[in-house]
Amino acid sequence: MNEHDIAEGFASTFAGLNWDAQRLSIYAKTATDVERALQSGKRTLEDFKALISPAAEPYLEQIAQQSAFLTRQRFGHTLGMYLPLYLSNLCANVCSYCGFSMDNRIKRKTLTLDEVEAECRAIKTMGFDSILLVTGEHETKVGMDYFRQVLPVVKRYFSYLAMEVQPLQSHDYAELKALGLDAVMVYQETYHPVTYARHHLRGKKADFGYRLQTPDRLARAGIDKIGLGALIGLEDWRTDSLYVAAHLEYLERHYWQSRYSISFPRLRPCAGNTEIKSIMEDKHLVQLICAYRLFNPSVELSLSTRESPWLRDNLLPLGVTALSAASSTQPGGYANPEPALEQFSISDERSVVEVAKTVKQAGFEVVWKDWDRRYSGV
Amino acid sequence: MLIQVNDRQIELPLGSDVTAVFDALELTPLGYALAINGMVLPKSEWPHTRLSPGDDLAVFQVIAGG
Amino acid sequence: MLTIGDKTFHSRLFTGTGKFAGSRQMAAALKASGSELVTMALKRLELESQNKHDDILSPLLTARVNLLPNTSGARSAEEAVFAARLAREALGTHWLKLEIHPDPKYLMPDPIETLKAAKQLVQEGFVVLPYCHADPVLCKRLEEVGCAAVMPLGSPIGSNKGLASREFLQIIIDQARVPVVVDAGIGAPSHAAEAMELGADAVLVNTAIATAANPTAMASAFKLAVEAGRIAFESGLATEHTQAVASSPLTGFLSVGEPVL
């Protein structure tokens, strides 16, 4: 059976949602709806909509207080640290917003196994034990054959292994899981198919439905943690975020043994050319993070170095559970930096030591390791 | 032949089928089920199942319960 | 309207036939309850005894309610499967309330035997409604093996203690993808309403109705309570909410803005 044709999974719920109706519904939320959402013990998607609506802006401090409280209750005073390791910037897709887009004339590089080891050694000295492997999306040159070799190498150095690469098939995920893969991030970018098509012009990533179904495949393969998110700016951020929340709700209901994580990357300038449809102000990012937390007290909320030091430091107590620091978005960026290979320029360029110190000053314990490779069965 | 039915032994002609048991007990099958030598016998099989001497039948009835 | 397996129900109150003074009282209470699904048990016929069990089947057939035989008396999966097959033959229904309690004092359901029996019975084509403890993981397992619903207990059978398992019922209801029927321990209409307000799909009540001074009136009370609770749930009941402990202002930084260096 061609996995591509499986109609079940989130796709069927997705088909029942109407973008415009949802958008109107969010913007129609009133102060009463927001107050009800704030008072509620168990929040629904309607409550989430109220919390991300314009009507919720005057309530931001209250929402933030709730969010901080719920996060402490569930996670304690801890923040996990992870690091992205870019293995390759080779890509067969054309995506309007991305520095790695195939039609961008940039220097391409894929790390050799020796270079991967060099990166691992460099990263180890920084203190990290949780790694996010990132590649562009190139099926043949940076596909399963490559991953099969790289994963065991990386897993020798780090306890927790996440990946953000092209969508793979269920049996691929099962195989990688046996090699030590713990988590996979697959962001839908935007849940609006027409807008999606405008930004994903060529390559396998143009297949909206296959990407949408990836979290289902991940859950069925038994992957520990599944990362969701929209690229904020491609569409109306509120509506896209509502879809993320709906996706999370669906997955939690159907795959009760998996863990979930949400990211909220805001579009940043990069080598490619792109229009930002909807600007998300800093206060909206605060609102969104807190709304996710109120909607789901147990989901992990992950903050990257796309945001400025000032904003990141202020976001720390609000609902975030994991963050990266001193990231490099170029392959070889830790052992042999070369800016020409970058995906996007980061905003928070502080060293890991500096960030860890800030985290501690904010009253949190930095958690480098919360997993052992034995739990991965490796 | 002698057949054990729950706490009673009953006498039936050789070659009798299971429905004969119910006739002998003056019961209509609705609300009753039967196991023969420890195995549940579907009602559809009752007319086709010949009894043998010494067979152990257990008849169950529906009663009130929560 | 509630759908379980291949049937739909208007009433979310299911009732048992046990403990009534007689089948006439049982039938009257059933009618007052509006219940469309009733449970009954199976017993070995006592041919030598003078005890004659009241015929409960005729009034139930007359009332045209759906029948849900149970496997009470079974203490193992094997015994439950045997009882299930008997029940199917006796009543001509695939529907089954799976209940296995090796503990004769408190009648607590055996989770291990229940899961084992459920798996087999689903394979044999039964529509299985398992009675179990309010264990969220167990309920997910039962759902996974194909049970048509789950029936977690509110409190021990016959105890009338209401929703002692409230917190766990809430988790079960939150996570379930099959209907949740709260069964056992519901002692008062308010308990039934509470279960419905939590989001239960239905409740099963036996002892509280059968042993009331006026079972028919009590059955009506339960009918009203289940309806009220369900309407409340569907109307967006305000749920309990943990008060956050306030800390120093968290969003003030936004109005101050990013420092310009």
Side-chain angles (χ1 to χ4, degrees):
Chain A
M1 174 163 46
N2 184 349
E3 277 198 339
H4 192 101
D5 300 328
I6 296 173
E8 34 154 339
F10 178 62
S12 43
T13 301
F14 176 80
L17 293 168
N18 177 288
W19 179 278
D20 290 324
Q22 292 302 323
R23 186 172 55 81
L24 288 171
S25 167
I26 293 166
Y27 284 91
K29 291 298 180 188
T30 64
T32 312
D33 295 322
V34 178
E35 285 176 14
R36 191 184 312 117
L38 272 168
Q39 287 310 307
S40 181
K42 174 109 188 62
R43 288 151 187 131
T44 63
L45 271 178
E46 290 306 311
D47 292 322
F48 178 77
K49 287 185 202 174
L51 293 169
I52 60 170
S53 73
E57 281 183 38
Y59 297 86
L60 194 55
E61 179 63 29
Q62 280 184 63
I63 296 172
Q65 291 284 340
Q66 273 270 311
S67 177
F69 175 75
L70 286 170
T71 311
R72 289 310 76 73
Q73 211 183 24
R74 173 77 187 201
F75 294 91
H77 289 89
T78 64
L79 279 168
M81 297 276 270
Y82 71 93
L83 192 71
L85 164 49
Y86 279 68
L87 297 170
S88 167
N89 62 0
L90 208 59
C91 198
N93 295 317
V94 171
C95 306
S96 66
Y97 51 80
C98 180
F100 291 171
S101 181
M102 188 169 70
D103 61 350
N104 282 342
R105 296 198 154 284
I106 58 166
K107 196 164 153 203
R108 304 282 172 173
K109 180 164 180 62
T110 302
L111 298 181
T112 63
L113 285 184
D114 283 341
E115 286 168 333
V116 169
E117 284 228 52
E119 288 294 272
C120 289
R121 281 194 298 268
I123 295 168
K124 217 48 198 162
T125 66
M126 295 161 84
F128 290 100
D129 196 36
S130 176
I131 292 299
L132 171 66
L133 295 177
V134 187
T135 65
E137 300 196 356
H138 200 291
E139 197 76 57
T140 44
K141 294 191 182 154
V142 188
M144 279 304 290
D145 286 334
Y146 182 72
F147 299 142
R148 270 183 201 111
Q149 294 175 69
V150 168
L151 254 67
V153 172
V154 180
K155 193 74 179 182
R156 273 206 309 274
Y157 288 86
F158 307 105
S159 302
Y160 200 75
L161 189 46
M163 275 177 101
E164 191 182 329
V165 304
Q166 64 272 31
L168 300 169
Q169 300 207 43
S170 299
H171 60 86
D172 294 327
Y173 287 129
E175 188 187 337
L176 293 177
K177 181 177 146 88
L179 293 174
L181 179 61
D182 300 303
V184 175
M185 313 295 136
V186 56
Y187 308 137
Q188 192 61 23
E189 316 299 4
T190 174
Y191 286 81
H192 191 295
V194 173
T195 306
Y196 185 94
R198 271 214 332 271
H199 289 282
H200 301 96
L201 301 156
R202 263 196 4 250
K204 259 197 112 173
K205 195 165 175 179
D207 189 340
F208 180 92
Y210 188 67
R211 193 175 189 83
L212 189 71
Q213 215 228 12
T214 309
D216 285 281
R217 293 198 301 281
L218 289 167
R220 288 174 198 166
I223 295 292
D224 174 59
K225 199 187 300 179
I226 298 167
L228 306 174
L231 182 53
I232 291 163
L234 291 179
E235 252 300 339
D236 174 61
W237 68 264
R238 293 178 218 265
T239 316
D240 252 333
S241 301
L242 179 271
Y243 274 83
V244 173
H247 205 169
L248 173 66
E249 185 181 71
Y250 175 90
L251 292 168
E252 268 200 342
R253 176 159 305 279
H254 287 78
Y255 309 106
W256 56 283
Q257 293 172 290
S258 303
R259 290 197 285 168
Y260 300 94
S261 162
I262 292 181
S263 298
F264 15 84
R266 289 195 283 182
L267 260 179
R268 287 204 62 78
C270 70
N273 189 13
T274 194
E275 51 179 279
I276 298 182
K277 181 165 181 173
S278 122
I279 305 284
M280 183 200 229
E281 298 171 46
D282 290 346
K283 64 180 177 177
H284 295 146
L285 183 57
V286 170
Q287 188 183 356
L288 180 63
I289 289 171
C290 297
Y292 277 134
R293 177 57 68 222
L294 266 62
F295 175 64
N296 191 312
S298 62
V299 72
E300 299 190 19
L301 297 174
S302 186
L303 185 60
S304 75
T305 50
R306 281 177 196 255
E307 305 297 342
S308 68
W310 166 80
L311 185 58
R312 282 186 11 128
D313 289 351
N314 281 295
L315 288 174
L316 291 182
L318 295 185
V320 168
T321 58
L323 66 158
S324 55
S327 308
S328 171
T329 67
Q330 30 162 307
Y334 300 108
N336 290 301
E338 207 179 326
L341 299 166
E342 252 180 21
Q343 183 185 32
F344 58 84
S345 48
I346 66 168
S347 253
D348 186 349
E349 296 175 334
R350 290 176 295 178
S351 72
V352 137
V353 170
E354 285 175 78
V355 173
K357 192 165 152 210
T358 311
V359 167
K360 220 170 141 64
Q361 276 167 354
F364 295 89
E365 188 197 332
V366 175
V367 174
W368 300 99
K369 179 187 165 81
D370 69 352
W371 192 264
D372 191 278
R373 59 179 60 70
R374 265 167 296 189
Y375 305 150
S376 313
V378 170
Chain B
M1 62 176 167
L2 277 176
I3 306 290
Q4 187 74 35
V5 181
N6 290 12
D7 44 333
R8 189 195 283 180
Q9 279 203 320
I10 63 170
E11 174 70 49
L12 285 175
L14 271 170
S16 296
D17 63 44
V18 169
T19 57
V21 173
F22 275 74
D23 293 336
L25 296 173
E26 290 171 357
L27 299 170
T28 49
L30 180 63
Y32 293 91
L34 185 137
I36 179 166
N37 301 327
M39 298 270 293
V40 175
L41 189 68
K43 265 184 188 153
S44 51
E45 299 293 311
W46 289 7
H48 313 299
T49 307
R50 306 243 162 260
L51 296 167
S52 308
D55 268 343
D56 185 6
L57 267 58
V59 178
F60 294 81
Q61 67 168 152
V62 168
I63 59 161
Chain C
M1 294 277 280
L2 167 62
T3 303
I4 299 178
D6 54 332
K7 294 191 201 279
T8 7
F9 301 93
H10 293 94
S11 164
R12 292 172 181 273
L13 173 59
F14 301 155
T15 52
T17 54
K19 303 184 185 176
F20 285 92
S23 68
R24 222 159 12 106
Q25 292 85 336
M26 185 276 292
L30 170 60
K31 185 152 182 235
S33 75
S35 166
E36 296 166 351
L37 181 71
V38 291
T39 57
M40 67 277 309
L42 270 183
K43 191 189 169 184
R44 213 171 234 268
L45 193 53
E46 278 167 57
L47 295 163
E48 295 308 319
S49 121
Q50 298 309 315
N51 287 340
K52 262 276 169 233
H53 279 276
D54 244 3
D55 171 24
I56 59 149
L57 202 49
S58 311
L60 294 177
L61 294 172
T62 309
R64 290 151 72 86
V65 288
N66 294 287
L67 307 177
L68 185 67
N70 69 31
T71 61
S72 89
R75 286 156 309 166
S76 68
E78 204 185 319
E79 288 179 10
V81 169
F82 181 70
R85 292 171 182 158
L86 284 170
R88 181 161 56 181
E89 290 309 313
L91 294 169
T93 174
H94 296 279
W95 279 58
L96 185 81
K97 173 176 168 176
L98 175 60
E99 86 182 85
I100 303 177
H101 16 80
D103 151 31
K105 180 170 179 181
Y106 293 104
L107 302 171
M108 297 310 295
D110 184 320
I112 296 161
E113 295 300 302
T114 300
L115 183 60
K116 196 167 148 197
K119 194 167 176 190
Q120 177 158 1
L121 290 168
V122 165
Q123 277 163 13
E124 288 186 19
F126 286 89
V127 174
V128 180
L129 278 66
Y131 163 64
C132 60
H133 208 302
D135 175 343
V137 174
L138 174 61
C139 286
K140 290 306 288 184
R141 296 277 184 217
L142 288 165
E143 184 187 296
E144 278 176 353
V145 302
C147 291
V150 289
M151 305 221 288
L153 57 79
S155 54
I157 292 174
S159 68
N160 289 352
K161 286 192 174 167
L163 306 188
S165 61
R166 187 186 213 281
E167 294 304 320
F168 305 102
L169 291 173
Q170 227 152 16
I171 298 172
I172 292 165
I173 289 164
D174 182 46
Q175 295 192 309
R177 284 165 51 210
V178 292
V180 178
V181 180
V182 178
D183 178 18
I186 294 178
S190 56
H191 300 157
E194 191 188 348
M196 299 310 292
E197 286 172 15
L198 285 183
D201 295 281
V203 297
L204 203 158
V205 182
N206 191 172
T207 305
I209 294 175
T211 61
N214 185 337
T216 305
M218 187 58 77
S220 302
F222 270 97
K223 174 176 194 277
L224 293 166
V226 169
E227 283 168 9
R230 182 65 184 178
I231 294 170
F233 173 73
E234 288 175 347
S235 312
L237 193 62
T239 53
E240 249 175 60
H241 156 79
T242 328
Q243 269 310 322
V245 174
S247 73
S248 45
L250 295 168
T251 58
F253 71 96
L254 288 166
S255 23
V256 172
E258 182 157 8
V260 178
L261 295 163

